[in-house]
Amino acid sequence: MSPASTGASIRVDAGTPVPSSEAVAAAQAPEAVKSAGAVEPAGAVKPAEAAEAADSRMTPGGPGYRRMSLALFLAGVATFALLYSTQALLPLISDDLGVAAGEASWTVAAATGGLALFVLPMSALSERFGRRTVMTASLAVAVGVGLLVPFAPSIGALVALRAVQGAALAGLPASATAYLAEEVKPKALVTAIGLFVAGNSVGGMSGRVITGWVAQEWGWRTAVAVIGVVAVACAVAFRLLLPAPRHFRAGSLRPRVLAGTVRDHLSNPLLRRLYAIGALFMTVFGGVYTVIGYRLTEAPFSLPQGIIGSIFLVYLVGTVSASTSGRLVGRLGRRGALYAAAGTTAAGLLLSLAPAVPLVLLGLVLITAGFFAGHAVASSAVGRTATHGRAQASALYQSAYYIGSSVGSTVGALAFHSDGWAGTVSVGLLAVLGVVTITLLGTRAARREAVLA
């Protein structure tokens, strides 16, 4: 089955970039010489071995690798702890500032929306000024704004600060994977990126759990301040630990070239489907986790803030489902994996309607597992599908992904305000239906192409 049939790739490692075309060409060069009939002298070092020996990029156990891994892990923790720092606190923010769920949800939507809008420009800046420079500047601005967030006097000021914070954080996902592709040997790339992604999930989870328990005792402003201090420590350690880049080559900022690359990607039907699938899955996830705090503070649950924050430990299920989605693709095929992810998510949404905490938790487990599996399948397909400008193709996916988060947070909260949890679930089910429809359209397009071929 071709990738075009499902909009997915058999290689499933979410967020993993594909090395640049130059790197691929360099890696394939020895084989090209060999196939051309070049004769190797007796006792000579084989071209592949010579290339490996000359490659000074980092490998596990080699100089700088542990420092680099820890630095990017901490950067991931800081990024996602800051990005979602208010999500578990929305009921408290609503009470303190006197706003409804829909207005409070903008503290999440503004941050993810700012990231979505600026991830592509930040990827271009990192090509010109360097990955480490852009990441350092991004973290510095984000943590600086994070220290101001607890003092926001109104919902308008809070949303504005969060939007600036999200825009600053866009420099991390835009630069970190490119840094790894340039500084780490291809064989070790998946492992290195896995550590960065682990930092993302740990940051997203711990930020919500920590804020939940701190806010229960001292209020949401203190909770956000604690996350700001943690992020400062992570940012300082990141800058001290991250090795200076040795393989970066600065490029020029050429808007015409960038615009042409983006236009090419957006004109590709398969990439458009992948972007839409990522956005729709994130619409479900963003809506559910933005509103779940409100649902659990109300009757018949009436749970305390600390317990609600601990609900986000369910994220660990997503880490497992994303890492095992490759086996799911092996068993069901790419199309089957997407359908399974969508079906699991839909089942979780329906189960979460039950008025019992154990069933709601089981629903969240299924929603989380389905979302991360679907996201892993779709995101890993982008690099395989794009034939050029893969960094921009990945940035466009991330933009769509975080736009989905912003839409889900806002629309899900408005639906909750209007129709309760059933309204939020309805929004999620419509998004899942969109995923299934897009996958079916991709399958039909692939079949037409096969007939014409």
Side-chain angles (χ1 to χ4, degrees):
M1 186 186 304
S2 68
S5 65
T6 62
S9 167
I10 196 166
R11 177 181 175 183
V12 183
D13 28 298
T16 302
V18 175
S20 65
S21 56
E22 291 83 0
V24 172
Q28 293 175 342
E31 290 300 321
V33 172
K34 189 173 181 179
S35 64
V39 178
E40 298 179 6
V45 178
K46 294 181 179 180
E49 295 175 354
E52 178 70 17
D55 191 344
S56 60
R57 287 177 290 181
M58 290 182 279
T59 56
Y65 184 86
R66 288 186 179 179
R67 289 179 55 203
M68 177 274 299
S69 297
L70 180 57
L72 289 178
F73 176 86
L74 293 173
V77 169
T79 298
F80 280 77
L82 290 171
L83 188 63
Y84 291 104
S85 60
T86 63
Q87 193 172 53
L89 307 174
L90 295 182
L92 296 180
I93 292 173
S94 289
D95 292 341
D96 182 42
L97 300 179
V99 297
E103 293 176 271
S105 70
W106 276 102
T107 64
V108 179
T112 55
L115 192 152
L117 291 175
F118 280 84
V119 66
L120 190 60
M122 286 293 192
S123 71
L125 288 176
S126 75
E127 295 286 350
R128 177 64 182 88
F129 299 107
R131 320 302 184 189
R132 189 170 72 158
T133 299
V134 170
M135 287 189 285
T136 301
S138 293
L139 272 180
V141 173
V143 298
V145 173
L147 296 177
L148 298 176
V149 166
F151 303 100
S154 65
I155 188 65
L158 179 57
V159 169
L161 287 171
R162 293 283 291 153
V164 173
Q165 194 172 48
L169 289 171
L172 267 297
S175 305
T177 53
Y179 175 93
L180 289 169
E182 292 164 351
E183 304 299 329
V184 176
K185 289 186 179 181
K187 290 182 179 180
L189 190 57
V190 173
T191 301
I193 289 176
L195 290 171
F196 176 63
V197 173
N200 294 346
S201 61
V202 169
M205 178 189 68
S206 61
R208 293 164 170 97
V209 174
I210 291 171
T211 55
W213 285 105
V214 173
Q216 181 173 308
E217 298 296 329
W218 296 288
W220 73 268
R221 295 180 186 273
T222 302
V224 173
V226 168
I227 293 299
V229 172
V230 170
V232 168
C234 289
V236 171
F238 161 81
R239 188 61 181 85
L240 293 175
L241 289 170
L242 190 68
R246 300 176 60 189
H247 302 276
F248 171 73
R249 297 293 180 268
S252 61
L253 291 173
R254 300 172 62 186
R256 284 188 180 181
V257 175
L258 179 62
T261 301
V262 170
R263 186 168 54 249
D264 289 345
H265 292 329
L266 293 178
S267 65
N268 185 319
L270 176 53
L271 284 176
R272 288 202 303 268
R273 288 195 292 271
L274 291 170
Y275 297 153
I277 287 171
L280 288 169
F281 267 121
M282 192 57 172
T283 297
V284 180
F285 197 68
V288 165
Y289 277 101
T290 294
V291 177
I292 191 63
Y294 290 99
R295 172 163 167 74
L296 295 177
T297 56
E298 295 180 347
F301 309 108
S302 302
L303 297 179
Q305 188 64 43
I307 297 297
I308 293 172
S310 298
I311 294 296
F312 291 95
L313 289 169
V314 172
Y315 267 43
L316 294 173
V317 174
T319 303
V320 174
S321 71
S323 62
T324 59
S325 56
R327 277 179 275 176
L328 183 66
V329 171
R331 291 182 180 180
L332 303 179
R334 293 181 291 268
R335 180 178 60 182
L338 279 176
Y339 286 141
T344 302
T345 304
L349 286 167
L350 293 172
L351 194 58
S352 70
L353 291 167
V357 171
L359 293 178
V360 172
L361 288 177
L362 180 57
L364 291 176
V365 167
L366 294 176
I367 292 167
T368 304
F371 160 73
F372 274 101
H375 168 47
V377 172
S379 62
S380 64
V382 171
R384 293 283 297 272
T385 302
T387 57
H388 67 289
R390 291 186 174 96
Q392 283 71 43
S394 178
L396 286 170
Y397 178 85
Q398 291 175 26
S399 293
Y401 177 81
Y402 285 109
I403 287 172
S405 177
S406 297
V407 171
S409 299
T410 303
V411 177
L414 291 173
F416 180 80
H417 181 70
S418 175
D419 300 310
W421 182 250
T424 303
V425 168
S426 297
V427 171
L429 290 173
L430 285 174
V432 171
L433 180 61
V435 170
V436 173
T437 302
I438 290 169
T439 305
L440 283 171
L441 291 174
T443 301
R444 291 181 179 180
R447 287 175 179 171
R448 286 195 300 269
E449 291 175 6
V451 170
L452 293 174

